[in-house]
């Protein structure tokens, strides 16, 4: 069924056809068919600019046979420009399907510093392999993929003028930086004059569910699952015709050429600032207290990384470890699956068939990597396929569709009401459904224009993180919430701190609130590295860190391991043990979630749901009204998906309290910052600890 709705500023196109299956099946049967190694429970809007016309649409499905050239064609004399970013595929690409209805389609990929700076070396390797396959796929259809280096708005503006493009197709983004890039491109093109008129920007999505009103969607995943929305079917790759114009398509660069381009960016962050990310927290701790003391006793020194850059585990400058023939991994030493859509589909087939065994070398390699990446039950799927999904080499709903198809093959065409027949199947389904849920939440959070502060999205290691910023200038202050909380916990403090002459940042940590909750091992060092990267990549300067409860524990680790990033640290009712002068730090081994821990998480979850209101009011003994319905409701929603994921976490590292002559001065400065924080938590003045860095 074809449904078209129009308004004065947008057109929405939906070709509806959905699968009868759902994401709510419980993988009970999976536990009976999988080794203990992997036994685990189941657990737009428009962006209008001045004069640029804008359409927003999503294609839910298209009839399998309706891919012939000329089907439902519009604007036969028009040229459509398709800007690829994180949609490096032809399969299940609604933007390409819609663009194929135009007379000429010009696919384009731009190596833009603003986009490349978000990728580490391994991800760059995945991008290059995906582009190689994407160009081959397009050439097989008589088309091609244009490769350009430069600033996106300049490249697109020049190309629109060269090919006389009437439409520019670009995928919807939820990340703040990417949305800003898209808006800059649209504003830049809108300021240009073309003899044939202004080009139309078409913002497209790949809808996992058929959602009619995003604003009315429940915020609780439990309530959302009760809707039992069917998953839409993927669209088939469109047929494209050759391009009857002479164009410079560009050549695919090598890894070294891309790195040289990135390093030549005049706006690149100073390497002395970003180099603190080159070594993990665990490696710092392994160095011992000698190097640690040097770092802590040099508060105003250089931000240079004290360790050799060659220790960067993500460094792929040497392609001697490049993947072997027929391998689906980007290198022999990597767990990242790369290549084109067919390569990732092949790896998915191997992953799903883990229980069946195989004589194929490429599938056996997937099985071996699966076992190595299983740091906790089900974590191997994100570890292996996460980057490919993030870059859009394979769409989430294609993964869902192929997984359900395989499940039906195992069960004579049926889906059991009791769960999936293999744990790998359950993992794939639950993972892509979870990814889609948090993508929807991220998009929904940016629709509220009446909020006191705007929600932004930052992607860290492929996962969506919510944050906000209040204030335009002044020293940076980063607020970190406690266990079970989120950035809204500081909703009545951010503006007061900003009005005192500060720029205030608040973040919802991975695994908390409306930030993504991937299936991985959560540790204090992981959260500390997240905060480190947030300060480096988003805040962009040393910050005053204020942490409540477990957030205080995390910021103290950041201050101890990367003191050059921290101006001062305020701990409010902090978790963790305070041991003055303690400097010998144990390095924690990898932790796995036991079945007892999972059972304990369910019991704790029931208790928190029952007593969350009373617990909150005890935290505000003199201002019980602060534990209002909003806070209680949000915490209840948040803990529903939080506890099971991170119950195994334990605060094993002691807080380093290094007293010095600067302590009194720092306390005076911090008191000025927190003087307007009457509602942060109880006993602020008596339980506030300050680390002098």
């Amino acid at each position: 069924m074809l449904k078209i709705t129009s308004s004065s500023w947008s057109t929405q196109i939906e070709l509806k056809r959905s699968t009868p299956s759902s994401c709510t099946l419980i993988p009970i049967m999976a536990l009976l068919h999988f080794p203990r190694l992997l036994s685990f429970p189941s657990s737009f809007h428009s962006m209008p600019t001045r004069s640029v016309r804008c359409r927003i649409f999503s294609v839910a499905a298209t009839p399998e046979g309706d891919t012939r050239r000329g089907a439902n064609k519009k604007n036969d004399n028009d040229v459509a420009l398709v800007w690829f970013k994180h949609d490096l595929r032809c399969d299940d690409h609604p933007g390409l399907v819609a663009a194929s209805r135009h007379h000429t389609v010009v696919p384009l990929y731009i190596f833009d510093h603003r986009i490349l700076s978000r990728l580490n070396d391994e991800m760059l390797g995945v991008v290059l392999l995906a582009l190689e396959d994407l160009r081959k796929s397009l050439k097989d259809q008589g088309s091609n993929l244009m490769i350009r280096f430069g600033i996106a708005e300049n490249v697109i503006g020049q190309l629109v003028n060269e090919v006389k493009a009437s439409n520019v197709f670009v995928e919807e983004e939820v990340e703040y930086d990417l949305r800003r890039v898209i808006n800059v491109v649209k504003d830049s093109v809108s300021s240009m004059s073309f003899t044939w008129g202004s080009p139309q920007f078409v913002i497209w999505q790949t809808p996992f569910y058929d959602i009619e009103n995003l604003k009315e969607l429940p915020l609780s995943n439990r309530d959302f699952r009760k809707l039992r929305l069917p998953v839409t079917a993927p669209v088939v790759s469109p047929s494209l015709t050759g391009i009857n114009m002479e164009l410079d398509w560009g050549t695919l660069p090598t890894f070294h050429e891309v790195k040289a381009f990135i390093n030549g960016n005049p706006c690149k962050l100073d390497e002395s600032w970003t180099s603190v990310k080159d070594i993990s927290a665990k490696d710092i701790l392994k160095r011992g207290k000698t190097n640690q003391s040097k770092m802590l006793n040099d508060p105003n020194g250089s931000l240079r990384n004290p360790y050799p850059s060659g220790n960067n585990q993500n460094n792929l400058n040497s392609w001697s470890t490049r993947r072997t023939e027929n391998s689906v991994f980007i290198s022999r030493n990597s767990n990242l699956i790369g290549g084109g859509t067919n390569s990732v589909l092949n790896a998915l087939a191997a992953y799903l068939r883990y229980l069946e065994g195989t004589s194929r070398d490429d599938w056996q390699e997937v099985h071996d990597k699966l076992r190595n990446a299983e740091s906790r039950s089900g974590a191997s799927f994100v570890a292996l396929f996460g980057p490919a999904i993030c870059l859009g080499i394979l769409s989430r709903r294609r993964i869902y569709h192929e997984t359900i198809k395989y499940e039906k093959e195992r069960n004579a065409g049926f889906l059991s009401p009791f769960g999936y027949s293999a744990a790998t199947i359950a993992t794939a389904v639950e993972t892509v459904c979870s990814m889609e849920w948090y993508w929807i939440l991220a998009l929904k959070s940016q629709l509220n224009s009446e909020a006191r502060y705007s929600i932004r999205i930052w992607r860290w290691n492929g996962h969506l993180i919510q944050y906000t910023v209040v204030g335009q200038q002044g020293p940076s202050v980063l607020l970190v919430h406690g266990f079970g909380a989120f950035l809204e916990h500081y909703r009545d403090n951010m503006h007061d701190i900003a009005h005192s002459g500060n720029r205030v940042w608040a973040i919802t940590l991975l695994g908390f609130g409306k930030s993504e909750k991937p299936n991985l091992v959560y540790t204090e060092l992981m959260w500390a590295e997240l905060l480190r990267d947030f300060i480096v990549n988003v805040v962009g300067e040393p910050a005053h860190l204020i942490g409540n409860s477990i957030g205080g524990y995390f910021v103290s680790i950041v201050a101890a391991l990367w003191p050059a990033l921290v101006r001062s640290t305020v701990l409010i009712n902090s978790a963790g043990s305070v041991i003055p002068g303690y400097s010998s730090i144990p390095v924690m081994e990898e932790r796995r979630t036991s079945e007892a821990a999972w059972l304990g998480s369910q019991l704790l979850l029931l208790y928190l749901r029952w007593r969350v209101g009373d617990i909150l009011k005890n935290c505000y003994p003199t201002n019980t009204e602060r534990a209002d319905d909003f806070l209680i409701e949000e915490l209840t929603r948040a803990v529903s998906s939080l506890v099971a994921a991170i119950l195994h976490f334990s605060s094993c590292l002691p807080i380093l309290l290094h007293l010095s002559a600067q302590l009194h001065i720092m306390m005076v400065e911090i008191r000025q910052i927190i003087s307007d924080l009457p509602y942060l938590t109880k006993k602020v003045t008596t339980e506030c600890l300050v680390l002098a860095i």
Side-chain angles (χ1 to χ4, degrees):
M1 178 178 68
L2 175 65
K3 176 184 177 182
I4 304 178
T5 59
S6 301
S7 67
S8 60
W9 57 270
S10 69
T11 301
Q12 183 172 358
I13 303 175
E14 297 180 8
L15 293 169
K16 297 186 177 180
R17 191 185 71 179
S18 58
T19 63
S21 51
S22 171
C23 283
T24 57
L25 297 178
I26 303 173
I28 297 176
M29 295 177 64
L31 305 182
L32 304 178
H33 293 78
F34 213 62
R36 287 184 60 85
L37 172 69
L38 284 174
S39 62
F40 55 97
S42 171
S43 358
F44 133 133
H45 73 160
S46 67
M47 298 187 295
T49 53
R50 294 187 296 274
S51 61
V52 176
R53 296 173 294 159
C54 181
R55 286 192 296 149
I56 304 91
F57 77 94
S58 60
V59 180
T62 190
E64 292 288 336
D66 192 20
T67 60
R68 63 189 182 278
R69 179 69 175 153
N72 297 321
K73 287 292 174 182
K74 302 178 183 178
N75 306 320
D76 287 340
N77 296 321
D78 288 340
V79 175
L81 181 64
V82 180
W83 176 19
F84 286 88
K85 301 188 309 301
H86 294 158
D87 49 324
L88 306 181
R89 64 184 186 274
C90 291
D91 174 73
D92 194 23
H93 195 294
L96 196 59
V97 170
S100 68
R101 300 189 180 105
H102 294 260
H103 184 265
T104 303
V105 178
V106 179
L108 169 69
Y109 183 85
I110 305 171
F111 286 91
D112 188 309
H113 292 114
R114 294 165 297 184
I115 299 177
L116 297 177
S117 63
R118 304 161 54 259
L119 307 176
N120 61 27
D121 287 353
E122 277 193 313
M123 289 291 283
L124 281 177
V126 177
V127 168
L128 291 175
L129 291 173
L131 289 175
E132 181 181 354
D133 181 85
L134 179 59
R135 170 171 272 192
K136 180 179 181 301
S137 298
L138 290 168
K139 282 185 174 182
D140 289 343
Q141 300 189 55
S143 184
N144 205 332
L145 176 65
M146 182 172 291
I147 302 296
R148 288 290 184 269
F149 284 81
I151 301 174
E153 53 267 31
N154 293 342
V155 172
I156 292 178
Q158 293 170 4
L159 189 57
V160 164
N161 186 54
E162 180 181 357
V163 302
K164 295 181 172 55
S166 60
N167 292 271
V168 178
F169 289 82
V170 55
E171 186 183 22
E172 171 80 285
E173 299 286 356
V174 295
E175 299 169 60
Y176 173 77
D177 287 343
L178 290 181
R179 291 173 69 88
R180 186 169 59 175
V181 169
I182 293 174
N183 277 326
V184 168
V185 171
K186 291 164 61 178
D187 286 342
S188 176
V189 173
S190 72
S191 66
M192 302 174 66
S193 177
F194 304 100
T195 58
W196 64 92
S198 297
Q200 185 177 45
F201 274 79
V202 184
I203 310 297
W204 62 270
Q205 300 176 8
T206 307
F208 198 86
Y209 304 105
D210 183 14
I211 299 175
E212 295 184 359
N213 192 332
L214 186 61
K215 289 185 177 181
E216 296 181 359
L217 205 67
L219 292 175
S220 167
N221 183 255
R222 183 172 55 173
D223 293 337
F224 174 75
R225 284 178 175 246
K226 291 179 181 179
L227 299 177
R228 303 185 68 85
L229 297 176
V231 178
T232 59
V235 298
V236 297
S237 178
S239 297
L240 302 174
T241 58
I243 301 176
N244 297 321
M245 59 178 73
E246 292 187 5
L247 297 172
D248 178 11
W249 292 99
T251 58
L252 282 172
T254 65
F255 178 82
H256 297 289
E257 289 172 340
V258 176
K259 290 295 293 183
F261 173 72
I262 294 174
N263 293 332
N265 177 20
C267 300
K268 178 185 175 183
L269 292 174
D270 195 310
E271 187 175 353
S272 64
W273 171 253
T274 59
S275 63
V276 297
K277 298 167 50 181
D278 287 348
I279 189 167
S280 68
K282 182 179 289 188
D283 287 340
I284 292 178
L285 296 178
K286 287 181 179 179
R287 300 284 175 165
K289 70 177 184 178
T290 302
N291 287 331
Q292 191 68 28
S293 299
K294 292 180 180 179
M295 292 175 66
L296 292 170
N297 291 327
D298 185 23
N300 299 315
S302 171
L303 295 178
R304 291 173 299 169
N305 178 17
Y307 308 106
S309 59
N311 289 333
N312 184 0
Q313 296 179 354
N314 291 329
N315 193 338
L316 292 186
N317 286 331
S318 173
W319 282 87
S320 60
T321 59
R322 186 175 174 84
R323 65 178 182 172
T324 56
E325 186 177 359
N326 297 326
S327 174
V328 297
F329 295 90
I330 65 171
S331 72
R332 290 190 293 268
N333 299 326
S334 175
N335 283 336
L336 300 189
I337 290 173
T341 298
N342 289 335
S343 178
V344 179
L345 278 173
N346 178 49
L348 177 64
Y351 183 92
L352 296 175
R353 292 163 176 79
Y354 175 78
L355 291 180
E356 299 178 7
T358 181
S359 60
R360 293 177 51 171
D361 292 340
D362 55 341
W363 282 22
Q364 186 59 53
E365 184 182 22
V366 173
H367 294 174
D368 293 340
K369 299 276 189 176
L370 182 157
R371 287 188 290 269
N372 294 335
E374 195 69 5
S375 57
R376 58 174 285 169
S377 297
S380 57
F381 188 83
V382 172
L384 270 57
F385 293 92
I389 299 173
C390 180
L391 293 173
I393 301 173
L394 202 60
S395 69
R396 293 187 290 271
R397 68 179 181 185
R398 173 60 73 184
I399 292 175
Y400 179 89
H401 175 79
E402 294 298 321
T403 304
I404 294 300
K405 179 181 177 181
Y406 172 62
E407 173 69 1
K408 289 181 177 180
E409 291 175 358
R410 289 173 57 92
N411 294 282
F414 296 97
L415 290 177
S416 171
F418 301 106
Y420 299 109
S421 60
T424 49
I425 297 174
T427 297
V429 168
E430 289 296 317
T431 300
V432 295
C433 287
S434 176
M435 287 180 171
E436 182 67 19
W437 165 246
Y438 286 104
W439 191 92
I440 292 172
L441 276 186
L443 185 59
K444 178 180 172 67
S445 68
Q446 299 176 74
L447 298 182
N448 187 4
S449 59
E450 299 178 357
R452 295 178 60 192
Y453 43 83
S454 61
I455 296 296
R456 298 180 180 181
I457 303 298
W458 170 57
R459 191 179 289 273
W460 181 74
N461 289 352
H463 310 304
L464 301 177
I465 306 294
Q466 286 200 355
Y467 74 97
T468 190
V469 58
V470 179
Q472 300 298 322
Q473 57 185 1
S476 293
V477 178
L478 175 57
L479 305 175
V480 183
H481 59 80
F483 182 83
F486 30 79
L487 67 86
E488 287 86 355
H489 206 187
Y490 294 103
R491 64 194 185 281
D492 291 326
N493 310 122
M494 291 184 284
H495 285 280
D496 289 338
I497 304 176
H499 291 160
S500 298
N502 303 284
R503 195 167 194 215
V504 183
W505 305 80
I507 186 173
T508 298
L509 297 171
L510 188 72
F512 293 86
K514 296 172 188 170
S515 288
E516 198 166 345
K517 298 174 179 60
N519 187 0
L520 48 77
V521 176
Y522 291 83
T523 68
E524 61 273 52
L525 299 184
M526 182 274 291
W527 278 305
E529 289 177 349
L530 183 153
L531 291 174
R532 173 203 65 191
D533 294 351
F534 185 79
I535 295 171
V536 171
N537 293 336
V538 182
V539 177
E541 65 177 3
H544 298 283
L545 306 186
I546 301 178
N548 171 232
S549 182
I550 201 173
Y553 178 55
F554 298 152
V555 301
S556 68
I557 297 176
V558 174
L561 300 185
W562 303 284
L565 305 181
V566 184
R567 293 186 176 184
S568 61
T569 306
V570 180
L571 310 182
I572 306 170
N573 291 347
S574 180
S577 303
V578 179
I579 306 178
Y582 193 95
S583 59
S584 179
I585 310 174
V587 179
M588 306 309 301
E589 297 298 326
E590 198 76 18
R591 286 166 284 191
R592 297 176 181 264
T593 306
S594 65
E595 295 176 358
W598 179 84
L599 177 60
S601 71
Q602 304 307 304
L603 296 176
L604 178 57
L605 177 57
L606 291 175
Y607 174 77
L608 290 176
R609 286 176 177 169
W610 177 44
R611 294 292 310 279
V612 64
D614 294 335
I615 295 173
L616 277 177
K617 290 178 181 178
N618 288 335
C619 292
Y620 299 92
T622 59
N623 294 284
T624 56
E625 66 276 7
R626 299 304 305 156
D628 53 21
D629 292 340
F630 167 81
L631 192 58
I632 293 175
E633 180 180 352
E634 286 296 298
L635 279 175
T636 302
R637 179 196 59 77
V639 299
S640 297
S641 53
L642 166 71
V643 178
I646 63 174
L647 183 74
H648 70 286
F649 162 78
S650 61
S651 54
C652 301
L653 293 179
I655 293 176
L656 303 181
L657 184 60
H658 293 266
L659 303 177
S660 74
Q662 301 180 53
L663 181 58
H664 177 71
I665 299 175
M666 295 301 297
M667 289 183 68
V668 172
E669 293 179 358
I670 293 302
R671 281 173 181 163
Q672 295 175 1
I673 294 178
I674 67 173
S675 61
D676 295 325
L677 302 182
Y679 303 123
L680 266 177
T681 188
K682 62 179 181 178
K683 302 180 182 178
V684 171
T685 57
T686 59
E687 298 190 20
C688 174
L689 302 176
V690 180
L691 290 183
I693 304 303

